[in-house]
């Protein structure tokens, strides 16, 4: 009597063949990929002003940095700038008489940073200061206090825009939009707006108030989304 035996390798082939056959009959999943966009412009409400004061000679009398700083503090309060928003950045001394290689008397300069909510307060501030004691004034940078919050909201708007685009395109060809399969944020370096710089010495005229609007901050978001086609 003959008995036929199957090796384990042959049995394995028998079990795998039906699985391979089923896999080959599957159709690829239909999907659509779109990029949603959203942007927003914000008016800065945090403006950082860099202001440098310098001692100077008024005849034989030196107008000290302490007196100039005291005037700045009073002017800041008058312009409704909180004391915590006025900080010292740096202080140094210089030889006021450049013709002499050595001078026994050095004059001081002191730089400050002021945080403002409104650029128009600069005119009011400079109108109170001693014009001869101002060395330099410029805006170092500016931002918005709720910038991070608005950036998050913008991402949701960009995703909603992607879904609207996908739905619009599929309706045009008689297809139905399915659930989202993938979401990916397209990272782009947010370009820093060009800093506003101006010779503000002339703004010390109290009769002048600028009505020119400050440069806005433009933020944007792009989201790539993949949706299933039903």
């Amino acid at each position: 009597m003959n008995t036929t035996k199957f090796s384990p390798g042959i049995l394995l082939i028998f079990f795998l063949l039906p699985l391979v056959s089923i896999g080959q009959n599957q159709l690829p999943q239909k999907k659509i990929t779109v990029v949603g966009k959203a942007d927003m412009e914000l008016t800065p409400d945090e403006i950082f002003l860099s202001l440098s004061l310098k001692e100077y000679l008024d005849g034989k009398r030196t107008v000290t940095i302490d007196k100039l700083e005291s005037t700045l503090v009073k002017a800041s309060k008058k312009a409704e700038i909180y004391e915590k928003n006025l900080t010292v950045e740096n202080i140094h001394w210089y030889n006021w008489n450049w013709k002499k290689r050595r001078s026994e008397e050095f004059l001081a300069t002191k730089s400050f940073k002021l945080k403002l909510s409104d650029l128009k307060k600069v005119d009011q501030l400079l109108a109170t200061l001693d014009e001869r004691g101002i060395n330099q004034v410029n805006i170092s940078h500016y931002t918005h206090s709720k910038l991070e919050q608005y950036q998050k909201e913008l991402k949701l708007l960009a995703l909603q825009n992607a879904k609207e685009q996908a739905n619009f395109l599929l309706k045009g060809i008689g297809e139905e939009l399915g659930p989202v399969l993938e979401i990916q944020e397209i990272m782009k370096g947010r370009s820093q707006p060009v800093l506003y710089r101006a010779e503000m010495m002339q703004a010390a005229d109290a009769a002048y108030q600028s009505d020119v609007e400050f440069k806005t901050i433009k933020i944007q978001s792009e989201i790539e989304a993949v949706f299933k086609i039903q």
Side-chain angles (χ1 to χ4, degrees):
M1 180 177 181
N2 294 329
T3 303
T4 304
K5 295 183 179 180
F6 296 97
S7 66
I10 296 175
L11 285 174
L12 181 62
I13 293 174
F14 287 159
F15 281 112
L16 286 179
L17 283 176
L19 296 177
V20 173
S21 177
I22 294 172
Q24 289 175 345
N25 292 331
Q26 287 182 343
L27 296 175
Q29 187 179 57
K30 295 192 299 180
K31 56 187 179 180
I32 181 173
T33 303
V34 291
V35 175
K37 298 181 181 181
D39 59 69
M40 183 184 299
E41 287 193 8
L42 304 173
T43 300
D45 64 355
E46 291 185 352
I47 304 167
F48 294 87
L49 185 73
S50 181
L51 186 147
S52 177
L53 300 178
K54 64 175 182 178
E55 293 181 339
Y56 67 92
L57 295 177
D58 185 11
K60 294 184 179 181
R61 181 179 66 91
T62 300
V63 179
T64 65
I65 200 71
D66 290 338
K67 183 176 181 180
L68 295 171
E69 182 177 349
S70 176
T71 304
L72 174 61
V73 172
K74 292 178 182 178
S76 299
K77 290 180 179 179
K78 189 175 180 181
E80 299 180 345
I81 300 172
Y82 297 114
E83 188 173 349
K84 65 178 181 179
N85 292 337
L86 174 63
T87 56
V88 177
E89 280 193 309
N90 200 359
I91 182 170
H92 63 274
W93 289 261
Y94 65 98
N95 184 349
W96 64 272
N97 192 343
W98 60 271
K99 292 182 179 180
K100 296 182 179 180
R101 293 186 178 181
R102 295 183 179 180
S103 177
E104 296 179 357
E105 184 176 5
F106 283 80
L107 299 179
T109 65
K110 198 171 186 177
S111 56
F112 303 84
K113 178 174 285 187
L114 290 86
K115 181 182 176 181
L116 311 173
S117 59
D118 186 357
L119 186 64
K120 294 179 181 179
K121 289 185 178 182
V122 176
D123 297 329
Q124 183 181 350
L125 180 70
L126 296 181
T128 315
L129 298 179
D130 185 347
E131 193 175 290
R132 293 173 294 177
I134 300 176
N135 185 43
Q136 185 179 10
V137 181
N138 68 279
I139 292 174
S140 59
H141 65 284
Y142 53 88
T143 184
H144 195 282
S145 57
K146 296 182 179 179
L147 181 62
E148 187 174 345
Q149 175 186 329
Y150 285 128
Q151 286 176 328
K152 290 180 179 179
E153 293 177 5
L154 214 56
K155 292 178 183 179
L156 294 179
L157 291 174
L159 181 57
Q160 291 169 8
N161 177 254
K163 184 176 181 179
E164 289 173 2
Q165 287 189 63
N167 193 40
F168 171 77
L169 292 172
L170 292 179
K171 280 186 176 181
I173 57 174
E175 296 281 359
E176 186 178 348
L177 183 67
V180 65
L181 301 175
E182 296 178 22
I183 298 175
Q184 182 176 354
E185 182 180 5
I186 300 176
M187 301 299 294
K188 289 186 177 181
R190 185 174 68 87
S191 58
Q192 177 70 21
V194 178
L195 298 182
Y196 172 84
R197 298 181 184 275
E199 294 296 331
M200 294 189 178
M201 303 299 183
Q202 298 177 3
D205 183 0
Y208 174 75
Q209 289 291 331
S210 175
D211 292 324
V212 179
E213 293 296 329
F214 193 72
K215 184 178 180 68
T216 58
I217 300 172
K218 185 174 182 179
I219 57 176
Q220 59 183 2
S221 177
E222 293 187 12
I223 299 291
E224 181 180 276
V226 181
F227 296 91
K228 180 181 179 181
I229 300 176
Q230 297 285 43

